[in-house]
Amino acid sequence: MAERIRVQKAIARSGLMSRRAAEEAMVAGRVKINGRDVVLGDRVDPETDMVTIDGTPVPIAPGLETHLLYKPVGVISTADDPQGRVTVVDLVPSEQRLHPVGRLDADSEGLILVSNDGELTNRVTHPRYGITKRYLAEVEGDVKKVALKRLTTGVELEDGPARAESARVIDRRPGRTLVEVVMGEGRNREVRRMFDAVGHQVTRLVRTAIGPITDPGLKPGESRRLEAGEIKSLLEGS
């Protein structure tokens, strides 16, 4: 069992707010430990207790890390690979045992989270929390309005219906169209299969945002740790 520490210290150590702000939240009745109200002076075990502010879990466990990685094409979205291929975990410098948050198929590139925070992983990957993913898809042919409408109203795939939250043309050039697509879920190769269903093959697919998290400065293979405010926005589902 870890040393029990004061609640406000545990919250401040998470980086989500200062100790003073944590104390004010406690006095206002916004903070709970394992579902019960707290008072100044209460202590928590960071490894076993659940602290929430306004119902949102606070990552107080020691050693939690979440990294944003630009996954290059060919890298596998798993923690390890029996075939010896490079994985997203291989590209993130950390002493912690990390795992990918969701998936991004080997032929695609762009942003993926790598973390050991189970609560954050659940919030990012479960559709009920409403964290969308934004993509840029370069596809063959001239994508018409009727195809965009089919993407957003829904197409039938072999594993069930699928639909985009939004789809819009960003650029047109002879023989190809660049389309921005926002998805609310992430089934295997879903975006590619949806475009196939409307008659356009994807030639390049880049994930550019995970909910509010984006970083156009990251290059393929580069990563950085998420800032406290970014983690807070994901936990709150905004």
Side-chain angles (χ1 to χ4, degrees):
M1 180 179 293
E3 176 189 1
R4 298 184 68 83
I5 62 176
R6 293 188 182 275
V7 177
Q8 57 268 44
K9 181 179 179 180
I11 295 173
R13 196 167 64 180
S14 76
L16 297 187
M17 61 176 60
S18 68
R19 187 178 300 197
R20 176 66 179 273
E23 291 174 349
E24 292 174 352
M26 293 168 67
V27 171
R30 298 168 53 205
V31 182
K32 295 183 183 296
I33 304 174
N34 303 326
R36 67 169 179 82
D37 293 333
V38 303
V39 295
L40 292 176
D42 278 351
R43 293 175 179 266
V44 290
D45 181 339
E47 293 185 351
T48 61
D49 289 327
M50 169 68 77
V51 174
T52 59
I53 300 178
D54 299 329
T56 298
V58 179
I60 63 170
L64 292 182
E65 292 184 10
T66 300
H67 301 254
L68 182 68
L69 167 72
Y70 188 117
K71 187 192 85 65
V73 171
V75 173
I76 309 302
S77 297
T78 58
D80 55 73
D81 181 62
Q83 301 179 40
R85 294 171 294 181
V86 177
T87 74
V88 292
V89 172
D90 294 330
L91 298 181
V92 177
S94 175
E95 297 299 319
Q96 302 294 331
R97 185 176 179 85
L98 305 177
H99 58 262
V101 179
R103 69 180 75 191
L104 190 58
D105 70 77
D107 295 331
S108 299
E109 61 189 286
L111 302 182
I112 188 170
L113 296 174
V114 181
S115 179
N116 60 355
D117 188 333
E119 182 60 37
L120 182 141
T121 297
N122 181 51
R123 297 227 164 204
V124 172
T125 56
H126 201 292
R128 75 169 175 266
Y129 293 110
I131 294 181
T132 59
K133 286 80 177 177
R134 186 169 72 237
Y135 301 84
L136 284 178
E138 183 178 275
V139 304
E140 294 180 349
D142 186 10
V143 178
K144 305 294 187 181
K145 289 183 178 179
V146 63
L148 296 175
K149 185 174 181 179
R150 285 189 63 197
L151 291 173
T152 56
T153 56
V155 297
E156 193 65 35
L157 303 179
E158 60 270 23
D159 54 352
R163 60 175 293 273
E165 298 288 326
S166 66
R168 66 188 182 102
V169 171
I170 301 298
D171 186 39
R172 297 183 192 272
R173 292 185 184 177
R176 69 85 152 157
T177 309
L178 187 64
V179 183
E180 180 188 82
V181 180
V182 177
M183 299 292 296
E185 61 177 7
R187 283 183 275 162
N188 187 38
R189 301 178 69 87
E190 187 173 23
V191 174
R192 293 177 181 275
R193 292 187 291 136
M194 289 173 64
F195 273 102
D196 283 342
V198 299
H200 296 278
Q201 183 178 358
V202 174
T203 56
R204 186 186 182 196
L205 185 63
V206 183
R207 183 190 284 162
T208 59
I210 302 167
I213 308 303
T214 189
D215 190 336
L218 277 184
K219 298 176 182 176
E222 292 183 344
S223 67
R224 65 170 176 83
R225 287 189 66 166
L226 287 193
E227 299 174 357
E230 293 175 313
I231 292 173
K232 182 173 185 290
S233 69
L234 291 172
L235 290 172
E236 292 177 343
S238 60

